Amino acid sequence: MTNHSETTGSSENGDISQAAQPGRTHGAPHEGPGDEHQVTLRTPAELADALPYLLGYRPEDSIVLAALRDRDGRGRFGGRARLGIPASPDDWAGAAGQLVHGLVTGSERRGVRPEQMVAYLCQEPGRGETGRDVMERLRPLAQKLRVECGALDIPVVEALCISDGRFWSYCCDEEACCPAEGLPMGLPGTSVLAAAATYAGIQVRGSLSELRARMLPREDAVAVEQAAALDAAAAVLVSRILDADGRAEVAEETLEAAERLMRRLVEAPPVSGVPAEDLRDDQLLGHDEAAALILGLQDRTTRDRAAAWMEGDEAAPAMRLWRALARRCVGPYGEHAAAPLTLAGWVAWSTGDELEAREALAMALGADPDYLFARLLHQACNEGLDPESIRRCLREGREGGEGAGAATADDDAHGGPSGGGEAARSSAASPPGGRRRTRSLSTPSPAVRRRSRAQDREPGTVTPRPRTASGAGHPGTARTDRTRPPASGTPVTGRKAARPDGAGTARGGSQGDAECP
């Protein structure tokens, strides 16, 4: 099962109790402002409260696995993995296997095999359901996760269902600590862990749906006007892009327009709140300007040259521009969003925001599952590669007038990477080219070529191609009793490193060591 809509976070930003034990309290020993902040988690309530801080956002409709490894007698959090809960129970076994094996494989690739797991199932009730109904309905999924982990000799020390503001344990049936009606979640930001995270500068950025909303196509009356502008731009630009001389001219026009719009964004007065910020940026881009940029970025080399706006004072306005353009890929132009979404993912990764990077790149693959540049960056980001090698090449390209392009002929050849790590590493070894005014341009994207064929069939018209559907994935013996595993008696401390701010988008995913490319 392949699921491009997975999201992830750092693989080592916390510790928890090696075996959550009821009736104990947690502590938060702080050694000083410059030291790691440690929070010891021992109860199911503390584990439930820790989830948003493990991921950096509040998961929705999600299966989450958190790996544990031993360090000095303490169970420390390792990688985390998240995947959307499949709608059909028939897909639960495949989803459980994908998530468990992906997390374990990724951890082993980093040299640390998980020794235990904590599992979370997060889903809000449907119409006519209660939180307890959700818990019972998802019980077979929790069992499949335990079986998959047990087959690898990795016990699940706790499995929790979080729904409707309450949580339940699948591993404990003791009424005294885990009653059948569940226990209420604490108010956000009121726990000791929340206080320690705030002290350490860690922020929880809301839900994934809120992150994705910043890059989803607009669905309002203005979208009709934007679609008309895209049709008009395609009728003019597609033929020019397919001509060698015209392509060079379009490239220069596209990059100059992007620079002009970035300056406009920088000069715009500040507003308060993410929705207001995005609305302001939308109002600063005309329909014709956005259409010309979207079509121009379908040329792979033009896109690669734009990727050089990735750091310093250029990164923030570039990110705002790519988000705004992704929101303008409306109606039949949905697959054209792969270019601005990939650029947004690259800028986010380059600036250290892996959560937004993975979400943007996953959305790019949702728009066009065969977009190789997004696939390579997605895999490299998931494998924890350092983007500095790509940044260095882009810098050299801008300063020296020469660049090494990763997305030339190979990028146009649709088809997946030849293999896991090799493909991702090749993206870092052969980064997108630096901005260069004299370089010969690469083959246009398939979206441009399809529009050209449509124009050839009926002169003077453009036949929109419907948006490619997201490549949503289908999704030994083990302990199957509901008795909590015996506690080792050793508490575990939580360790969190500061996470950069940002935002992101996509549809269902996987976190930490276990991104499933």
Side-chain angles (χ1 to χ4, degrees):
M1 176 174 73
T2 300
N3 188 341
H4 291 304
S5 61
E6 294 145 0
T7 49
T8 67
S10 73
S11 62
E12 293 194 19
N13 65 348
D15 300 314
I16 67 169
S17 163
Q18 186 170 349
Q21 301 175 25
R24 297 190 179 181
T25 57
H26 60 266
H30 295 174
E31 300 175 3
D35 299 318
E36 289 184 315
H37 298 270
Q38 301 182 10
V39 178
T40 303
L41 309 177
R42 296 188 179 91
T43 69
E46 292 157 4
L47 292 176
D49 180 71
L51 181 57
Y53 301 96
L54 294 178
L55 300 180
Y57 60 91
R58 301 186 185 281
E60 301 171 316
D61 197 29
S62 300
I63 313 167
V64 180
L65 284 179
L68 299 181
R69 57 188 178 84
D70 181 70
R71 172 171 292 188
D72 300 327
R74 296 173 179 268
R76 183 175 185 182
F77 270 129
R80 271 82 71 200
R82 192 202 74 88
L83 189 67
I85 298 176
S88 172
D90 294 339
D91 294 331
W92 287 357
Q98 176 189 1
L99 198 59
V100 171
H101 288 272
L103 178 55
V104 172
T105 299
S107 298
E108 290 177 338
R109 191 161 51 233
R110 291 180 170 88
V112 182
R113 190 176 192 274
E115 298 172 6
Q116 297 172 324
M117 293 281 191
V118 176
Y120 299 86
L121 299 179
C122 307
Q123 191 173 74
E124 290 305 299
R127 179 174 297 180
E129 274 191 318
T130 65
R132 183 174 180 179
D133 293 336
V134 173
M135 181 272 294
E136 292 294 350
R137 177 168 52 81
L138 296 180
R139 186 183 294 279
L141 175 55
Q143 183 60 25
K144 293 180 188 300
L145 290 168
R146 299 178 73 184
V147 169
E148 290 289 343
C149 290
L152 298 176
D153 198 27
I154 303 173
V156 174
V157 297
E158 184 58 279
L160 299 174
C161 177
I162 300 175
S163 180
D164 197 23
R166 305 180 77 84
F167 69 90
W168 290 261
S169 171
Y170 290 114
C171 294
C172 176
D173 55 5
E174 297 180 17
E175 188 69 20
C177 68
C178 299
E181 66 274 15
L183 291 171
M185 296 285 293
L187 294 175
T190 60
S191 67
V192 173
L193 177 60
T198 302
Y199 183 77
I202 300 164
Q203 296 183 358
V204 175
R205 296 165 52 185
S207 67
L208 281 183
S209 60
E210 293 170 338
L211 300 180
R212 295 170 190 147
R214 305 196 71 185
M215 297 185 194
L216 288 174
R218 299 170 59 174
E219 297 180 359
D220 52 23
V222 179
V224 176
E225 300 175 10
Q226 183 62 65
L230 284 162
D231 285 342
V236 174
L237 293 179
V238 168
S239 60
R240 293 181 64 196
I241 292 174
L242 292 174
D243 175 75
D245 293 335
R247 191 183 311 152
E249 294 174 357
V250 171
E252 301 309 312
E253 293 168 4
T254 300
L255 295 170
E256 290 170 1
E259 290 176 327
R260 182 173 63 254
L261 288 173
M262 286 167 59
R263 288 193 297 270
R264 188 185 302 171
L265 293 174
V266 170
E267 295 167 358
V271 295
S272 177
V274 169
E277 290 174 356
D278 291 342
L279 178 60
R280 173 202 57 197
D281 292 348
D282 287 339
Q283 293 171 343
L284 292 172
L285 269 68
H287 296 314
D288 293 338
E289 292 175 314
L293 272 176
I294 290 168
L295 269 295
L297 289 173
Q298 301 309 304
D299 178 72
R300 303 301 173 88
T301 302
T302 306
R303 177 208 64 196
D304 292 347
R305 291 164 65 184
W309 297 318
M310 71 210 167
E311 59 188 344
D313 294 337
E314 294 175 330
M319 190 70 186
R320 290 166 59 187
L321 178 59
W322 306 145
R323 287 195 198 107
L325 292 180
R327 294 193 294 268
R328 300 298 187 99
C329 294
V330 298
Y333 291 86
E335 73 173 8
H336 287 65
L341 286 169
T342 301
L343 289 171
W346 161 241
V347 174
W349 186 33
S350 179
T351 55
D353 189 348
E354 294 186 3
L355 174 59
E356 182 165 10
R358 290 186 177 98
E359 285 298 315
L361 294 170
M363 287 187 71
L365 291 171
D368 184 352
D370 295 321
Y371 205 71
L372 186 58
F373 186 30
R375 184 178 299 181
L376 294 175
L377 289 177
H378 191 241
Q379 190 165 350
C381 183
N382 292 337
E383 293 192 356
L385 302 184
D386 188 351
E388 177 56 27
S389 60
I390 305 178
R391 288 197 299 262
R392 184 167 55 249
C393 184
L394 289 170
R395 292 188 204 106
E396 292 171 354
R398 294 185 70 175
E399 294 169 1
E402 297 180 359
T408 54
D410 290 341
D411 200 358
D412 294 313
H414 276 123
S418 58
E422 291 79 12
R425 285 170 178 78
S426 70
S427 72
S430 302
R435 292 196 54 200
R436 181 177 161 218
R437 299 289 180 180
T438 59
R439 175 179 174 177
S440 62
L441 295 165
S442 66
T443 306
S445 72
V448 170
R449 294 198 295 270
R450 280 192 288 269
R451 292 200 176 279
S452 175
R453 289 196 293 271
Q455 287 175 307
D456 290 341
R457 288 194 299 270
E458 188 175 349
T461 66
V462 175
T463 304
R465 182 180 185 275
R467 176 172 181 161
T468 303
S470 171
H474 300 291
T477 61
R479 296 175 48 108
T480 58
D481 61 285
R482 298 183 61 215
T483 303
R484 185 186 306 281
S488 65
T490 55
V492 184
T493 56
R495 232 169 240 140
K496 300 276 290 178
R499 181 186 301 272
D501 296 333
T505 85
R507 208 177 190 144
S510 168
Q511 177 96 15
D513 292 321
E515 189 74 1
C516 306

